[in-house]
Amino acid sequence: MAGLALSAEQRIEAPPSAVFDLVGAGAGAGWLFDTVCDRLAPGAAVALRAPLGGPPVELLGRIARIRRPGRIDIHLDVPWRGTLRLLFDPEGSGTRVRVVADLDEDGLRWLMRRRGYLVREPTDRRDHLLGLLTSKSGPGSVFAAATANLAAMAVDEVNADGGIRGRTLRLVVGDDGTNPEWGAAEARRLVQGGCRTIVAGTTSATYARVSDALRGDGVLLVHAVMNEGGQGGELRIRLGERPRQQLRAAAGPVMRAAGGRRWFLAGNDYVWPRAVHASARRVVDEHRGSVVGEAFAPLGTRDFTPVVETVLASGADVVLSSFVGADLVAFERQCHAMGLRERARTLALTLDEPTRERIGDVAAAGMRGIAGYFEQLPDTANAEFLRRYRRTFGAFAPPVGSISESVYEAVHLYAAAARRAGEDEPRTVARELRSSRAEFPRGTVTVSGPETVTQQLYLAEATAGGFAVTPS
Amino acid sequence: MDADLAFDALADPVRREILAVLAERDECSAGELSDAVQRVGRTAVSSHLRILRTAGLIAERRTGRFRYYSVDATGPAQDVIRFLQELFQGSLADAKAAAEADAPDARAM
């Protein structure tokens, strides 16, 4: 990859093997060496908490190559794509450690913005622009790691198929940092840059804030990923799975697996988890179960000990975990460490492969997820889709979950609607989008209103290395 | 400083390579830079240097008929590059402190 390369080096008075073994050991050896990963092996997911100013930014990626005690290559996905190499060479009685990092153009642009500089997107006036709001940083970057890749892949497919009425579809990407205020600022930047439609692959909290911020601007906002519904309208379309449908499909099987009816509801403190819990109370009631406790923690929480203790004390058989992204990862790892897995079954509506692999094979085993897409879906369209994704982005690109795949679909649904509309006016495109039907890797998706989507849901049980998936 | 101009200047791989070379050395002559950046000729390197200078990313110093280039420590892209480099360097310093605290024998050798 042609990119900017940076390097730093340091002599350390310890043999290479001793220095190498500090990586991933959590030994307080700086943010690079204190990378979080379950095992040092090719393909293993890693997270580096980089102090970029403000709350630390998690650089997410995976180990591409490793040779003890000489070298570790890390492939990074978010917030920028690139590689990080750690090289350990013997030097006298000690070690010369070098870090060589490269980042691509988008990465440099992201960093310049994060440092407060205004950076214009290089756009061509003849292009048909489409905004994408995703989470390249903050807790949501876990579920959104593949989002920008998949949106770009859909755009390439649209362009290979003639673009939008002969014009090139061009994606302009914004990062909400999993923060509604930043999301609103980024959305305004996309609109000022010429985007008349924005596809949001973010939390509902960001969607709601952006929807307010763009009121009266004539901009079409499409929430692509699973959400609680509501707030649909002429220029507001909400796709994705609904909690009520997910819970109705999953509640029975999860209670049977748990052998009990007592539920604990625990999640992040914002609109979607609260709506999930409201739905859960009704669905649990329909299944003659009971809710024995409920807890919320703000997005960005890292110590869930008090919440897990409350869950343990409640005697719950089923835990409905409506944490998202990095918060879901941290909560579930702590549940496992504190012995909850032997006491209760866990259902998490956002459990997907990018999240599961970061919770870890051991800590996630037995967790249930419910969504319209998992990589394991057996049909040939999905296999071909995943082959294209791997061919384009490589073996070390992040896994695909329902949340990122939904953004791929939303770009295609938008492009098809824009072609049918015969004009760029967002209201006309929105009208077409509100009655759409298409075949996707997940199967048939039918849109029949501003917030009505029909699709097949699948129940998934986390196993070592993936999921066992069954149609609900 | 115009960040847009800086970014446009950085959009080219040859210019990024020139900056990477300059980031490792204090100062280079145009000839030295041409030798280090093999994929394009001397004339192309000169025009890239002009663009980088206009964007405020590099500084030029003339001595007689020679021109010397160095990174402009005040530009926005340079701010980002310097920031990242300090981040990596600081992290390696932390690794050194941890490794040497763990290995008093190695330090005594």
Side-chain angles (χ1 to χ4, degrees):
Chain A
M1 180 176 22
L4 184 75
L6 294 164
S7 65
E9 68 174 77
Q10 176 76 56
R11 191 191 143 78
I12 296 179
E13 289 300 332
S17 58
V19 178
F20 181 98
D21 288 342
L22 278 175
V23 176
W31 66 271
L32 267 174
F33 276 55
D34 286 349
T35 170
V36 178
C37 69
D38 280 348
R39 57 198 171 91
L40 285 178
V46 298
L48 300 127
R49 288 172 67 79
L52 295 179
V57 172
E58 293 211 309
L59 314 185
L60 302 181
R62 67 194 62 242
I63 295 172
R65 191 176 151 190
I66 188 159
R67 201 185 66 236
R68 183 179 186 274
R71 173 175 188 162
I72 303 176
D73 289 5
I74 295 172
H75 167 100
L76 290 181
D77 300 309
V78 281
W80 63 76
R81 285 169 65 198
T83 53
L84 262 179
R85 286 185 193 85
L86 282 168
L87 304 164
F88 308 82
D89 294 308
E91 191 177 79
S93 59
T95 306
R96 191 165 67 104
V97 183
R98 275 181 301 152
V99 50
V100 182
D102 65 51
L103 62 162
D104 64 5
E105 232 175 286
D106 287 341
L108 253 180
R109 209 183 264 137
W110 181 90
L111 259 174
M112 287 167 80
R113 286 207 184 93
R114 184 53 65 104
R115 299 285 292 162
Y117 297 109
L118 295 168
V119 187
R120 188 192 57 214
E121 296 285 334
T123 52
D124 187 322
R125 293 183 67 87
R126 288 163 299 184
D127 291 348
H128 183 109
L129 301 184
L130 176 64
L132 170 68
L133 200 55
T134 180
S135 301
K136 284 176 178 278
S137 53
S141 67
V142 169
F143 62 67
T147 294
N149 287 355
L150 286 164
M153 190 166 115
V155 165
D156 286 347
E157 290 168 3
V158 167
N159 288 331
D161 194 25
I164 308 286
R165 286 172 273 113
R167 279 150 69 218
T168 303
L169 180 62
R170 207 193 113 83
L171 202 61
V172 189
V173 183
D175 171 26
D176 81 330
T178 327
N179 174 321
E181 288 308 317
W182 293 5
E186 281 287 85
R188 280 193 208 95
R189 178 174 70 78
L190 299 182
V191 171
Q192 279 158 14
C195 297
R196 300 180 74 190
T197 296
I198 294 176
V199 170
T202 63
T203 66
S204 292
T206 289
Y207 171 83
R209 182 69 193 83
V210 169
S211 178
D212 278 351
L214 300 184
R215 183 165 296 157
D217 287 358
V219 173
L220 169 59
L221 181 62
V222 180
H223 198 194
V225 304
M226 60 176 72
N227 66 75
E228 69 285 357
Q231 300 184 48
E234 193 184 18
L235 285 169
R236 299 289 181 270
I237 294 178
R238 304 195 84 180
L239 306 171
E241 301 90 337
R242 291 291 175 274
R244 179 88 68 99
Q245 289 153 8
Q246 290 172 285
L247 288 161
R248 281 206 169 124
V254 171
M255 283 166 74
R256 277 195 293 282
R261 299 175 175 280
R262 290 164 301 173
W263 288 63
F264 194 102
L265 318 177
N268 282 125
D269 193 4
Y270 70 93
V271 55
W272 180 79
R274 288 193 176 273
V276 168
H277 292 188
S279 284
R281 286 179 183 280
R282 287 192 293 272
V283 173
V284 168
D285 197 46
E286 288 164 16
H287 284 77
R288 298 195 311 278
S290 61
V291 174
V292 295
E294 184 173 25
F296 291 99
L299 257 176
T301 299
R302 283 300 162 268
D303 179 10
F304 289 96
T305 311
V307 181
V308 182
E309 279 170 352
T310 312
V311 177
L312 284 166
S314 74
D317 308 298
V318 177
V319 180
L320 174 64
S321 176
S322 21
F323 296 104
V324 301
D327 286 41
L328 182 59
V329 171
F331 176 74
E332 295 302 336
R333 287 177 74 96
Q334 286 164 38
C335 281
H336 172 257
M338 291 171 73
L340 188 78
R341 294 281 182 262
E342 292 89 63
R343 308 265 295 274
R345 294 288 179 181
T346 296
L347 169 67
L349 305 192
T350 60
L351 182 67
D352 56 8
E353 181 56 17
T355 311
R356 189 209 64 83
E357 70 163 358
R358 289 184 184 279
I359 297 170
D361 278 349
V362 175
M367 285 185 69
R368 294 331 199 252
I370 174 88
Y373 180 82
F374 291 93
E375 279 196 12
Q376 286 80 7
L377 296 191
D379 60 277
T380 47
N382 180 41
E384 176 51 32
F385 162 78
L386 289 172
R387 249 194 312 277
R388 286 200 306 278
Y389 175 70
R390 292 285 161 206
R391 201 168 53 224
T392 311
F393 297 102
F396 296 113
V400 181
S402 186
I403 290 176
S404 49
E405 199 272 349
S406 294
V407 172
Y408 168 85
E409 292 179 4
V411 171
H412 273 297
L413 287 171
Y414 170 79
R419 285 168 177 165
R420 291 200 303 273
E423 57 170 291
D424 289 349
E425 169 53 41
R427 280 182 177 77
T428 317
V429 178
R431 193 161 60 228
E432 292 296 332
L433 186 47
R434 284 196 298 271
S435 57
S436 297
R437 185 185 172 89
E439 297 299 324
F440 286 122
R442 70 178 63 205
T444 307
V445 172
T446 309
V447 184
S448 50
E451 43 188 88
T452 309
V453 179
T454 313
Q455 61 179 305
Q456 169 79 49
L457 294 182
Y458 297 87
L459 194 60
E461 179 178 350
T463 57
F467 288 104
V469 174
T470 47
S472 71
Chain B
M1 184 52 58
D2 185 341
D4 279 351
L5 207 55
F7 191 79
D8 291 343
L10 280 168
D12 183 272
V14 175
R15 292 196 284 272
R16 289 200 297 267
E17 194 177 335
I18 291 172
L19 280 176
V21 171
L22 287 174
E24 285 175 9
R25 312 180 194 181
D26 288 340
E27 198 175 58
C28 274
S29 69
E32 286 169 329
L33 274 169
S34 285
D35 293 343
V37 182
Q38 292 282 334
R39 63 169 122 175
V40 293
R42 188 171 288 253
T43 320
V45 167
S46 296
S47 68
H48 285 306
L49 285 170
R50 196 169 53 244
I51 293 166
L52 287 167
R53 198 161 57 85
T54 312
L57 291 167
I58 61 171
E60 184 187 82
R61 182 173 69 85
R62 291 185 192 204
T63 305
R65 57 190 191 85
F66 294 104
R67 295 171 186 211
Y68 295 90
Y69 298 91
S70 56
V71 291
D72 186 334
T74 59
Q78 211 46 48
D79 168 64
V80 166
I81 292 162
R82 191 178 53 238
F83 171 76
L84 259 192
Q85 217 145 18
E86 281 169 6
L87 211 61
F88 289 126
Q89 202 63 56
S91 180
L92 290 185
D94 292 343
K96 177 184 171 71
E100 294 181 355
D102 281 353
D105 294 343
R107 191 169 38 196
M109 281 195 308

